[in-house]
């Protein structure tokens, strides 16, 4: 009787542990992350946004010294991204979408938008999403170009 109770108790603890780790385990997978630490200019599509375009065309961001108006995305590290815009003088309102990303397949990615921030002369409050807004994309890489196609 005592062994049955102990076994039941530890089985219950194991189930709690498994379900509490299910979300983080889903995001920690074995798919290669070949976009970590990269920066891209968004040639078509604008900011990568929860209500954004169906397709984004990206090119490697090398130097923005000669670019005055652009949209960009940085895959900061293993799981964080930032999509932002930059404008020449005269438009001093800048938007940034900040969140996390993870691969769900070799050429598939999910991006979770945590917040949308504004800086400069904007009078727009920060939008925080709890829970995060999720976007799913297929990745198509052709040479130095990358395309994100919303699912």
């Amino acid at each position: 009787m005592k062994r049955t109770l102990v076994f039941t108790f530890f089985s219950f603890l194991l189930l709690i542990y498994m379900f509490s780790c299910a979300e983080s385990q889903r995001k920690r997978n074995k798919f290669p992350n070949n976009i970590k630490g990269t920066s891209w200019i968004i040639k078509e599509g604008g900011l990568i946004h929860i209500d954004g375009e169906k397709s984004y065309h990206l090119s490697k961001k090398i130097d923005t010294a000669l670019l005055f108006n652009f949209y960009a995305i940085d895959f900061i590290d293993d799981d964080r991204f930032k999509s932002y815009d930059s404008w020449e003088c005269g438009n001093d309102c800048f938007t940034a979408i900040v969140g996390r990303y993870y691969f769900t397949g070799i050429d598939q990615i999910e991006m979770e938008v945590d917040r949308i921030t504004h800086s400069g002369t904007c009078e727009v409050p920060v939008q925080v999403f709890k829970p995060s807004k999720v976007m799913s994309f297929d990745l198509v890489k052709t040479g130095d170009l990358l395309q994100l196609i919303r699912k």
Side-chain angles (χ1 to χ4, degrees):
M1 177 72 176
K2 200 174 198 180
R3 284 186 179 184
T4 304
L5 285 172
V6 169
F7 178 75
T8 304
F9 176 73
F10 283 113
S11 297
F12 181 72
L13 287 178
L14 180 63
L15 283 173
I16 289 174
Y17 174 76
M18 287 173 45
F19 283 113
S20 68
C21 294
E23 181 72 12
S24 63
Q25 288 300 332
R26 178 175 64 93
K27 294 177 185 177
R28 297 178 199 269
N29 52 49
K30 302 293 185 209
F31 300 113
N33 183 347
N34 54 4
I35 60 174
K36 175 177 93 171
T38 61
S39 297
W40 302 83
I41 296 292
I42 302 170
K43 296 174 74 167
E44 294 177 31
L47 286 173
I48 296 181
H49 192 278
I50 52 178
D51 297 323
E53 299 296 321
K54 294 280 184 197
S55 178
Y56 296 93
H57 298 270
L58 314 174
S59 65
K60 284 271 190 172
K61 179 178 160 187
I62 299 169
D63 184 14
T64 57
L66 299 177
L67 291 176
F68 296 111
N69 301 314
F70 63 90
Y71 297 104
I73 185 167
D74 296 338
F75 295 97
I76 300 164
D77 53 24
D78 286 334
D79 65 350
R80 292 182 305 135
F81 78 92
K82 178 180 180 182
S83 181
Y84 58 96
D85 56 16
S86 178
W87 304 106
E88 62 185 309
C89 296
N91 183 353
D92 296 328
C93 181
F94 306 99
T95 303
I97 289 111
V98 179
R100 292 164 283 123
Y101 73 96
Y102 54 94
F103 283 84
T104 57
I106 293 174
D107 294 323
Q108 297 174 347
I109 191 172
E110 281 201 7
M111 301 172 82
E112 297 178 348
V113 175
D114 295 331
R115 68 185 180 279
I116 300 174
T117 63
H118 304 277
S119 61
T121 60
C122 298
E123 295 183 17
V124 181
V126 173
Q127 292 176 276
V128 177
F129 300 103
K130 297 253 183 204
S132 300
K133 301 284 185 178
V134 178
M135 307 177 290
S136 297
F137 295 98
D138 288 326
L139 298 174
V140 178
K141 190 162 186 179
T142 310
D144 286 342
L145 301 176
L146 181 65
Q147 185 177 10
L148 300 177
I149 302 168
R150 193 180 299 266
K151 290 182 174 186

